[in-house]
Amino acid sequence: MRSKLTAFALAVTALAMPALAQDRTPAVRQSLVDLAYVLGEAHALRQACLGEDDQYWRTRMIRMVDTEQPDAALDRRLKESFNTGFASRQGEFPTCTGATHRAEIATAARGQSLAAQLSQVMNPVQGDAPPTLKEMNADAGHGDVATRPAPR
């Protein structure tokens, strides 16, 4: 379980180079919003087990926003998405149970997938075209955050 969470954390950290989202496609901007939602979910799930003082995923979110330096509209969407993801999982998993741990693993897998997709778009292998939004959503799987509309 911890290996998936660690991989997710490393993937988010790997996005340390700004995506310059204000200059990117709507698909990239949406993927950043989706990743913010997943970070919010992860924050709530981790706090359910480790307590409200734990700020691990919130700190990662702050780093992502600081790195991206988004325009005001995207900044607002990122923060709203994080908060929506947090509230969703906090309401669903108010205490630490086996189900909380399983949800944490699934959330980490979604986050890792989104981070990997963004990494491919930001740093494509020479000669490879970045994935399209359709490809990104198909790779994310049915029901993932990437296929949901962003909170408004």
Side-chain angles (χ1 to χ4, degrees), residues 22 29 33 70-81 151:
Q22 59 271 22
R29 292 172 68 96
V33 171
D71 57 47
L74 181 58
D75 182 66
R76 185 178 60 255
R77 286 182 66 203
L78 291 171
K79 291 173 182 174
E80 286 174 358
S81 188

Side-chain angles (χ1 to χ4, degrees), residues 43-58:
H43 184 53
L45 293 166
R46 187 173 167 113
Q47 278 193 339
C49 292
L50 298 179
E52 291 182 9
D53 290 339
D54 185 273
Q55 297 298 305
Y56 184 83
W57 291 114
R58 182 177 178 274

